[in-house]
């Protein structure tokens, strides 16, 4: 008679193999859920991988004495006190976005810190609707329970701040379990940054089209006039052609600024490394704008420092920064008659900074405009800007170029007393500075 040799069930195996065997379903389930989140772009792949490593570690570290339902609620109910409950808690806690685990009747089983920050009233054992009084959440939950299929809903909140959230209600059931014994996973995705970017994109397209449409409408109006009533009027033709040329120049400038802005934004994460001396850059800019200064009867004064100011940078982009600032000072601050350019070196907690300030004594800018000046197409006075040939993109370009250089722009103004635009850029350190100094001495 053959003796039947019974192999131990996975639950009774000991050691690492036993732990792996007992944790297999939660591990498979969490891997699937994480994979789903990565596929749905809810969680970056690196976060998901880190979360899964944490889950595996939680599953394998320490003895798993208790066996039982891997989906038993941890914490709230006594069943959750076991190792599988702790594993499930580790799964929930490791998500970088708000996650709440519920019983099918809507009672909270577990939630992570991100969920607590989102809904501070969440409490284990309470109905989730007490903490999340959002009709969309309640309805999505009801439908997910009824259909057994994942549901998605979106809702917005006004208090304490405007935000948009997507909710995913995912029924989770252990293999071969009755539907009513499973749990429900609520995952919340903050859509606010996406919405903001989308709003900015829509505004940007509307503004850019409007800016292009205005000169285009004027051009086609003059073409009609020249083809019709003014066909034989030589004086009108010369005058209209002059206006048409200036409108075409405005369109070209706008397109040029838009392209520069998108090029700089594209490379914003690449920080230029070549040492550039700011002093000759600024002097060249001032020289090139002497004609405009004479036209406006403004004197440009530069306080040249005794030593070079070397910053890691892109010479052409830095030239563009100072061109924009000095040109603005000459255009908008001409009534002050003097534009002063100063250089300084300041110590900051992160190292030494070069500070170049462009100061005019014109009408200045009211305080409420200051924080918005670097937004694309933002102008204090649209008519004045257009009359000066402005596109409303100059300071936006300055900001993005400075971001790329790890620098920043500080704007100060007192109405009636002028404005100061200060560019701050980290100075080259040690060997790079020396190398550039030697290079410039040899030139
Ligand atoms: P624009 O092409 O209109 O000059 P900018 O982005 O360079 O665009 O500047 C935005 C707005 O900031 C200008 O339209 C103007 O209203 C204001 N501004 C910029 N520089 C000065 C200044 N030195 N004095 C007063 N207002 C200024």
């Amino acid at each position: 008679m053959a003796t039947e040799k019974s192999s131990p069930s996975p639950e009774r195996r000991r050691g690492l193999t036993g732990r792996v065997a007992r944790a297999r379903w939660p591990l498979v389930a969490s891997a699937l859920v994480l994979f789903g989140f990565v596929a749905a772009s809810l969680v970056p792949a690196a976060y998901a991988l880190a979360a899964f490593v944490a889950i595996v570690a939680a599953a394998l570290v320490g003895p798993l004495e208790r066996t039982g339902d891997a989906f038993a609620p941890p914490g709230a109910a006594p069943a959750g006190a076991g190792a599988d409950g702790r594993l499930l808690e580790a799964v929930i806690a490791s998500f970088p976005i708000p996650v709440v685990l519920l019983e099918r009747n809507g009672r909270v089983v577990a939630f992570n810190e991100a969920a607590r920050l989102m809904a501070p009233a969440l409490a284990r054992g309470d109905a989730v609707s007490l903490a999340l009084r959002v009709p969309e959440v309640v309805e999505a939950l009801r439908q997910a329970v009824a259909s057994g299929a994942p549901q998605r809903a979106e809702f917005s909140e006004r208090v304490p701040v405007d935000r948009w959230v997507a909710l995913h209600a995912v029924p989770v059931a252990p293999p071969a379990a009755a539907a009513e014994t499973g749990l429900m996973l609520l995952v919340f995705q903050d859509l606010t940054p996406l919405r903001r970017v989308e709003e900015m994109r829509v505004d940007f397209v509307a503004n850019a089209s409007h800016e292009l449409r205005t000169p285009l409408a004027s051009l086609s109006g003059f073409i009609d006039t020249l083809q019709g009533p003014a066909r034989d009027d030589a004086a009108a033709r010369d005058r209209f052609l002059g206006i048409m040329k200036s409108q075409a120049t405005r369109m070209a400038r706008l397109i040029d600024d838009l392209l520069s802005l998108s090029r700089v934004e594209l490379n914003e994460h690449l920080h230029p490394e070549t040492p550039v001396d700011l002093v000759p850059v600024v002097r060249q800019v001032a020289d090139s704008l002497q004609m405009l200064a004479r036209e406006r009867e403004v004197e440009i004064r530069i306080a040249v420092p005794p030593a070079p100011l070397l910053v890691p940078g892109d010479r052409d982009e830095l030239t563009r920064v100072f061109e924009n600032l000095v040109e603005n000072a000459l255009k908008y601050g001409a009534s002050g008659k003097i534009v002063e350019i100063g250089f300084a070196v300041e110590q900051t907690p992160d190292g030494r900074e070069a500070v170049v300030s462009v100061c005019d004594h014109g009408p200045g800018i009211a305080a409420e405009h200051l924080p918005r000046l670097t937004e694309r197409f933002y102008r204090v006075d649209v008519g004045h800007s257009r009359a000066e040939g402005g596109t409303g993109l100059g300071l936006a370009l300055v900001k993005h170029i400075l971001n790329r250089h790890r620098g920043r722009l500080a704007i100060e103004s007192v109405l009636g007393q002028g404005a100061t635009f200060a560019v701050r850029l980290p100075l080259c350190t040690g060997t790079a500075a020396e190398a550039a100094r030697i290079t410039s001495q040899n030139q």
Side-chain angles (χ1 to χ4, degrees), residues 328-329 331-332 360 365 373 378-380 385 390-392 394-395 421:
N328 277 353
K331 287 189 319 195
Y332 303 110
D360 68 69
I365 306 160
L373 285 184
Y378 189 86
R379 287 112 147 191
V380 176
S385 160
T391 59
L395 292 178
F421 290 73

Side-chain angles (χ1 to χ4, degrees), residues 79-314:
D84 294 338
R86 287 201 301 276
L87 173 59
L88 204 51
E89 289 221 8
V91 174
I92 304 291
S94 60
F95 280 97
I97 53 175
V99 175
V100 182
L101 188 68
L102 307 174
E103 289 173 21
R104 292 285 167 112
N105 61 12
R107 300 219 168 268
V108 176
V109 172
F111 53 89
N112 62 0
E113 180 59 14
R116 194 189 61 76
L117 290 174
M118 185 189 73
L122 273 174
R124 292 180 180 198
D126 278 2
V128 69
S129 53
L130 292 177
L132 281 162
R133 297 172 181 276
V134 182
E136 289 88 345
V137 174
V138 176
E139 180 56 21
L141 196 55
R142 194 190 63 73
Q143 283 189 19
V145 171
S147 65
Q151 301 293 320
R152 184 181 188 280
E154 281 186 19
F155 60 95
S156 61
E157 288 182 335
R158 297 248 156 247
V159 186
V161 284
D162 273 1
R163 65 175 178 175
W164 290 266
V165 182
L167 158 75
H168 301 261
V170 188
V172 184
E180 62 277 9
T181 63
L183 299 174
M184 183 70 66
L185 199 60
L186 300 186
V187 182
F188 297 85
Q189 181 190 11
D190 189 358
L191 299 178
T192 314
L194 290 175
R195 286 285 168 102
R196 294 254 152 85
V197 169
E198 180 59 16
E199 273 173 11
M200 276 168 65
R201 194 188 63 77
V202 170
D203 283 356
F204 176 74
V205 171
N207 281 326
S209 325
H210 177 75
E211 292 292 328
L212 282 170
R213 205 183 313 122
T214 312
L216 199 60
S218 143
L219 273 178
S220 65
F222 283 120
I223 290 170
D224 287 347
T225 315
L226 286 174
Q227 283 176 333
R231 182 190 293 268
D232 301 317
D233 184 341
R237 192 175 54 225
D238 284 353
R239 199 159 54 82
F240 291 166
L241 283 175
I243 302 172
M244 288 165 76
K245 185 165 168 42
S246 80
Q247 296 293 0
T249 310
R250 185 172 147 202
M251 288 175 76
R253 200 179 309 122
L254 182 64
I255 291 167
D256 189 38
D257 278 0
L258 283 171
L259 288 176
S260 304
L261 198 54
S262 88
R263 210 174 304 124
V264 171
E265 276 187 312
L266 207 64
N267 294 324
E268 206 160 313
H269 59 290
L270 301 172
H271 305 295
E273 296 296 340
T274 318
V276 177
D277 184 358
L278 290 177
V279 182
V281 169
V282 175
R283 288 181 79 162
Q284 258 171 33
V285 167
D287 288 348
S288 69
L289 289 170
Q290 276 307 334
M291 200 140 93
L292 178 65
R294 268 197 296 276
E295 247 174 48
R296 304 292 163 109
E297 297 175 349
V298 178
E299 184 193 342
I300 303 178
R301 291 184 187 163
I302 306 188
V304 180
L309 282 182
L310 293 167
V311 299
D314 177 311

Side-chain angles (χ1 to χ4, degrees), residues 301-346:
R301 291 184 187 163
I302 306 188
V304 180
L309 282 182
L310 293 167
V311 299
D314 177 311
R315 198 186 168 88
D316 290 345
E317 288 187 2
L318 291 172
T319 301
R320 196 83 194 257
V321 164
F322 295 110
E323 262 170 14
N324 271 315
L325 297 182
V326 179
E327 204 178 311
N328 277 353
L330 293 173
K331 287 189 319 195
Y332 303 110
S335 60
K337 298 291 173 203
I338 297 167
V339 167
E340 288 152 319
I341 303 177
F343 297 85
V345 172
E346 282 181 17

